[in-house]
Amino acid sequence: MKFAVMTLGCDKNTVDSERYIAELVAHGAERTVSLDEAEVIVVNTCGFIDAAKTESVEAIIDAARRKEGGACRMVAAVGCMIERHKSELVGALPEVDLFLGTTEADRLVPELEARGFLDDAPLLKHPGVRVYAGDHPHVRYLKISEGCDHGCAFCAIPLMRGRHRSFALGDVVREAQLLEAQGAREINLVAQDLAHWGRDARNGHTLPDLLEALLRETSVPWYRLLYIYSAGLSPRMLDLIAREPRIVRYLDIPMQHASDGVLARMRRPERKARQRERLRQLRATIPGVAIRTTVIVGFPGETEDEFQELLDFLEEVQLERVGAFTYSPQQGTRAYDMADDVPEQVKRERLERVEELQRLITADRYETWLGSTARAMVDRPAADGRPAQARLDAQGDDIDGVTWVETDEAPGTLIELRLDEVVDDYDFRATALRTLDRVTPKDARRGRRPLPMVAGSVGSFGR
């Protein structure tokens, strides 16, 4: 059986898709990147906001159309959107053969076996085994927990992913070792809130313990922390980031707004003064740290004055990057019962104003870096007359721009470079100075070698 997996949404969905692929391959299925060749198409959906749901539905419909005279004989829709809206989708999309929410992930293989697509073979896998589904395998994502206990009024993630549950330290370390064996040179730690890792286990282990174990038990040169609430950045955590060069000086801290009134309606845990103080502390403790956040505009009741507070705060704190999106009501959340009283046109205008302000802030900040030296990881070799593509510590994969540099080093190699020019506000052009940690041909071959599947249970991976 040939199959293809389409992944929508966040990096946590990427991890889930890679596990689906590993399980299917372990049962003798053959993965293809061509939807036209696939007999089974699995669409891993996102249900975070309305735009993500629309994209997911369009992807499902596109996959189902391929059953009309093509190779496709089955379409399976899985993931977050299905968890929230399965009953509605079953009736609305009869052309889809299987719907599985996030809590039903372990049913995909049995369902395909029952339909005759897979042999009834034993499931041979370790819960951390994944088959990479992207195009530069030196950058990987490692999910350390599932679910969320935060009660944000706008967010449906707890309804889709359940309560927060940490994955066992040993399991996470083992998965990191497997990723390293597959060629990982940068591992991005992901969760709904990294700082909550270990709290539910009540065994004394916290995020710094996990990071120290990962550093001790692997030789991966870069670990990056994605999506961590500032309240969880303890003095021990900040000290570890400041003194450990293998943890890049980059933090993705969700703030969502800067008006105390809006933050209160959102049921966010911090207010503007606390956010300002935490950012000051971070910059003082971790020199050169790059900070990214996300904000929502158009939340119920947001006045022009409250929106201006957000703009003024962003101007004041000068973050390296900001992601912004407009509010959309999600059924089942506390905010769903609030009047969605900010017109869509106003939401879009405010979004454009935030994005334009942050574009200028980022460009100005980047200009101050010119002439300085920095570390970077090569992502893509030079091709078609373009220089090699690399990323600084301050540039997260796929979201924060790139750095163009003339180098013959292989992807995954760490280099030192001089920043020469800001390109299009978000990118750099640089000069390579020296190689810090080279990827050898042997390392590159290792990244393409498939790992043996290891017998075991799904353990604490929440599957």
Side-chain angles (χ1 to χ4, degrees):
M1 176 198 87
K2 285 189 176 183
F3 74 95
V5 176
M6 303 172 64
T7 304
L8 291 305
C10 66
D11 300 319
K12 293 173 279 294
N13 264 15
T14 297
V15 173
D16 293 342
S17 288
E18 291 180 353
R19 289 183 181 153
Y20 285 128
I21 294 168
E23 291 175 12
L24 293 172
V25 170
H27 283 81
E30 177 185 351
R31 178 173 173 252
T32 177
V33 296
S34 171
L35 297 181
D36 292 331
E37 296 178 0
E39 298 169 72
V40 173
I41 300 176
V42 180
V43 184
N44 191 1
T45 63
C46 176
F48 183 53
I49 57 177
D50 286 352
K53 293 178 186 177
T54 298
E55 185 181 16
S56 293
V57 170
E58 289 174 350
I60 293 170
I61 293 172
D62 177 66
R65 287 191 183 119
R66 297 173 188 273
K67 294 167 63 177
E68 302 171 2
C72 182
R73 295 189 288 137
M74 178 178 174
V75 172
V78 303
C80 290
M81 187 179 71
I82 311 307
E83 184 71 23
R84 290 282 288 122
H85 302 288
K86 183 175 181 179
S87 59
E88 308 157 47
L89 293 168
V90 168
L93 298 171
E95 61 269 47
V96 177
D97 304 279
L98 179 64
F99 292 92
L100 298 175
T102 53
T103 58
E104 304 170 299
D106 58 348
R107 283 185 47 204
L108 179 61
V109 166
E111 291 286 350
L112 290 174
E113 288 177 345
R115 289 163 167 78
F117 287 99
L118 293 174
D119 294 331
D120 187 13
L123 182 58
L124 301 175
K125 70 177 184 64
H126 178 279
V129 169
R130 295 191 259 136
V131 173
Y132 182 62
D135 56 4
H136 47 280
H138 61 282
V139 182
R140 300 297 296 272
Y141 293 83
L142 177 59
K143 186 160 59 170
I144 68 171
S145 65
E146 185 62 278
C148 184
D149 288 342
H150 290 294
C152 302
F154 55 84
C155 185
I157 287 174
L159 303 173
M160 297 182 285
R161 295 280 182 174
R163 301 277 294 177
H164 172 264
R165 50 210 185 273
S166 301
F167 300 156
L169 186 149
D171 283 348
V172 176
V173 170
R174 170 64 174 161
E175 183 169 0
Q177 292 170 333
L178 291 168
L179 295 178
E180 182 179 15
Q182 291 178 326
R185 301 275 294 166
E186 175 183 346
I187 291 182
N188 296 267
L189 301 187
V190 295
Q192 302 306 332
D193 181 3
L194 291 174
H196 268 197
W197 183 87
R199 293 184 184 182
D200 52 318
R202 302 183 185 279
N203 57 12
H205 289 157
T206 57
L207 183 60
D209 297 298
L210 175 61
L211 284 167
E212 288 171 351
L214 290 169
L215 294 169
R216 184 174 61 250
E217 301 297 334
T218 76
S219 59
V220 174
W222 271 14
Y223 281 95
R224 188 180 299 272
L225 306 180
L226 296 181
Y227 217 73
I228 181 168
Y229 280 58
S230 64
L233 291 168
S234 64
R236 180 185 170 197
M237 185 74 245
L238 297 183
D239 176 68
L240 179 60
I241 298 172
R243 62 180 166 81
E244 177 49 65
R246 290 168 60 198
I247 303 175
V248 299
R249 297 187 173 194
Y250 176 102
L251 293 169
D252 184 352
I253 303 173
M255 297 181 193
Q256 310 304 3
H257 214 278
S259 161
D260 286 354
V262 176
L263 290 167
R265 295 196 296 277
M266 287 181 167
R267 296 175 61 91
R268 294 292 293 173
E270 295 183 334
R271 298 295 180 264
K272 179 167 63 176
R274 179 59 174 164
Q275 292 178 161
R276 179 188 291 115
E277 173 57 25
R278 291 296 283 169
L279 291 172
R280 186 204 62 76
Q281 181 186 19
L282 290 174
R283 298 231 187 258
T285 308
I286 311 173
V289 65
I291 301 174
R292 177 185 179 86
T293 195
T294 51
V295 299
I296 299 171
V297 299
F299 190 77
E302 182 190 59
T303 65
E304 180 61 28
D305 287 344
E306 288 173 329
F307 174 69
Q308 187 62 49
E309 281 190 75
L310 172 60
L311 295 180
D312 292 343
F313 182 76
L314 294 177
E315 182 72 51
E316 172 193 348
V317 297
Q318 297 280 298
L319 301 179
E320 279 69 29
R321 294 301 299 269
V322 173
F325 57 95
T326 59
Y327 169 77
S328 61
Q330 303 302 309
Q331 189 172 6
T333 63
R334 297 175 187 272
Y336 187 75
D337 294 327
M338 300 179 183
D340 186 15
D341 54 359
V342 180
E344 289 300 317
Q345 181 178 350
V346 174
K347 290 180 184 179
R348 290 193 297 273
E349 290 172 350
R350 290 178 180 175
L351 178 65
E352 290 173 0
R353 290 164 65 187
V354 167
E355 291 176 337
E356 176 61 16
L357 172 63
Q358 188 57 42
R359 182 185 67 79
L360 296 174
I361 292 172
T362 297
D364 287 346
R365 286 194 66 77
Y366 283 4
E367 289 284 345
T368 68
W369 297 2
L370 297 183
S372 65
T373 60
R375 291 189 309 171
M377 181 171 287
V378 178
D379 279 340
R380 302 178 190 275
D384 301 324
R386 303 189 76 178
Q389 180 178 308
R391 282 179 300 110
L392 312 178
D393 292 51
Q395 294 173 314
D397 177 45
D398 200 39
I399 55 174
D400 290 326
V402 300
T403 296
W404 301 103
V405 59
E406 295 288 352
T407 180
D408 295 327
E409 295 291 357
T413 294
L414 284 177
I415 61 175
E416 183 178 64
L417 45 71
R418 183 186 66 242
L419 299 174
D420 299 327
E421 181 185 356
V422 178
V423 181
D424 296 331
D425 299 321
Y426 293 121
D427 299 337
F428 287 101
R429 186 170 287 111
T431 299
L433 300 178
R434 64 189 178 107
T435 299
L436 300 174
D437 187 353
R438 176 176 284 117
V439 172
T440 67
K442 180 180 178 180
D443 294 328
R445 286 195 300 272
R446 180 182 62 182
R448 293 194 295 269
R449 185 180 304 138
L451 282 170
M453 298 300 178
V454 181
S457 70
V458 294
S460 60
F461 276 79
R463 296 290 305 279

